[in-house]
Amino acid sequence: MRTKRTKKTLLCIPLYVWAVLFVGLPLLYVLGVSFFARGATWGVTDTLTLSNYRKIFDPTYLKVFGDSLRTAALTCLIVSLISYPFAYCMARAKPAYRTLLMILVMAPFWTSALIRTYGWMILLKANGPLNAFLKWLGVIDRPLKLLYTEGAVLLGFVYTLLPFMILPCYTAIERMDWCTVEAARDLGASPTRAFLTVTLPLTLSGVMSGLTLTFVPSMGMFFLSDLLGGSKTILIGNLIQDQLLRARNTPFGAALAVALLLLTALTLWLQRRTGGETQLF
């Protein structure tokens, strides 16, 4: 017994070392920097302060957090409405069709997200294929402003994060005991009632895992809002990037990163409280 425990401990040592060096120490560094004052030109001074955290409650920055939460919530809602029916159909499909649908879901991962984002920029620009097609159909007389809008940012988030919602939902639905649904139908439940009282509760862990995997990245994927929204859409990820690279306010950028990390931890805690840990971890 002790030999097995010793082997497990030795096998876990590389994981512990990696976690300490590349996760723990960087987080401690960011947390420490957030409590120092900004330097005159770059870096920090040796003065301890809480002003960086008080600055977060400025109405300007609170609006950025509010816009980020609203965008993340809309992304989760749209992704859920698309992903759950798709995952349900995929789980109920024949094995051959199921394999094909799984390939379609995984295909975007074969290409860089940045390249796919540039593809959307080409499609949505004023002289792009989408505007040209609508003009050819006679739907519009002049090009629509599709790029550099909130709608374009939302489209980018939904497209990028769809697989992260489909896969947990598919796993939960595919593993469900369908005899319970048949029993509900035999007892007189309608298809809608059977879905709401049996199928949805039994697959809720997959839904919550998918929502977490969708919500958390949508708060920090700054490159999507930067490319598809331009300077008109500022989310928390863009704000952190601007403070660190452009404003050169490292302590405030670190404080924003800590606030985002706490929000992420709260999301994960809520996800585990609702019983989604088996699908996510």
Side-chain angles (χ1 to χ4, degrees):
M1 194 69 177
R2 290 183 178 179
T3 305
K4 290 183 178 180
R5 290 181 179 178
T6 304
K7 289 182 179 180
K8 288 183 179 180
T9 303
L10 292 175
L11 290 174
C12 291
I13 287 178
L15 177 62
Y16 295 149
V17 173
W18 187 91
V20 170
L21 291 178
F22 299 104
V23 179
L25 292 180
L27 289 179
L28 288 176
Y29 173 77
V30 171
L31 180 63
V33 168
S34 66
F35 289 103
F36 287 93
R38 176 186 181 182
T41 57
W42 186 266
V44 299
T45 64
D46 56 356
T47 305
L48 292 174
T49 179
L50 293 175
S51 61
N52 298 313
Y53 288 96
R54 286 195 294 265
K55 193 176 179 180
I56 295 177
F57 295 95
D58 185 276
T60 302
Y61 302 117
L62 286 180
K63 183 179 181 302
V64 175
F65 270 95
D67 292 341
S68 302
L69 289 172
R70 177 171 55 84
T71 302
L74 287 174
T75 301
C76 290
L77 177 61
I78 297 173
V79 167
S80 300
L81 294 176
I82 298 173
S83 299
Y84 194 92
F86 186 91
Y88 186 90
C89 294
M90 186 165 64
R92 298 294 286 171
K94 295 180 180 180
Y97 293 108
R98 190 183 307 172
T99 303
L100 177 60
L101 292 173
M102 182 64 71
I103 292 174
L104 292 177
V105 172
M106 299 299 295
F109 290 108
W110 301 345
T111 309
S112 170
L114 192 61
I115 294 176
R116 286 182 274 128
T117 303
Y118 277 111
W120 277 111
M121 293 178 65
I122 294 173
L123 288 173
L124 297 176
K125 64 182 182 179
N127 58 345
L130 184 56
N131 269 311
F133 180 68
L134 293 176
K135 196 171 182 180
W136 177 75
L137 290 177
V139 178
I140 58 175
D141 296 327
R142 61 183 63 183
L144 298 175
K145 185 173 179 54
L146 302 175
L147 193 58
Y148 305 131
T149 61
E150 291 187 8
V153 174
L154 191 60
L155 175 64
F157 278 125
V158 170
Y159 169 75
T160 302
L161 297 173
L162 265 177
F164 295 95
M165 185 70 185
I166 292 175
L167 295 177
C169 290
Y170 166 76
T171 302
I173 296 171
E174 197 269 336
R175 292 179 179 178
M176 190 183 71
D177 186 4
W178 290 97
C179 293
T180 56
V181 180
E182 295 176 2
R185 294 298 307 277
D186 291 339
L187 292 173
S190 63
T192 302
R193 187 174 179 82
F195 173 79
L196 294 176
T197 58
V198 179
T199 305
L200 187 59
L202 289 177
T203 58
L204 188 60
S205 61
V207 175
M208 292 305 301
S209 297
L211 289 175
T212 303
L213 292 172
T214 302
F215 181 83
V216 172
S218 61
M219 291 291 293
M221 293 174 63
F222 63 90
F223 72 93
L224 285 175
S225 55
D226 197 24
L227 294 175
L228 296 175
S231 58
K232 297 182 179 180
T233 304
I234 302 296
L235 302 181
I236 182 62
N238 305 97
L239 182 60
I240 294 174
Q241 180 198 29
D242 290 342
Q243 293 299 319
L244 293 176
L245 301 181
R246 297 179 184 176
R248 296 185 178 182
N249 193 346
T250 306
F252 183 52
L256 290 170
V258 172
L260 180 59
L261 181 64
L262 292 176
L263 184 60
T264 301
L266 176 62
T267 304
L268 293 174
W269 179 79
L270 292 174
Q271 187 266 345
R272 298 195 68 179
R273 291 281 294 179
T274 55
E277 68 272 16
T278 56
Q279 295 294 330
L280 182 59
F281 300 100

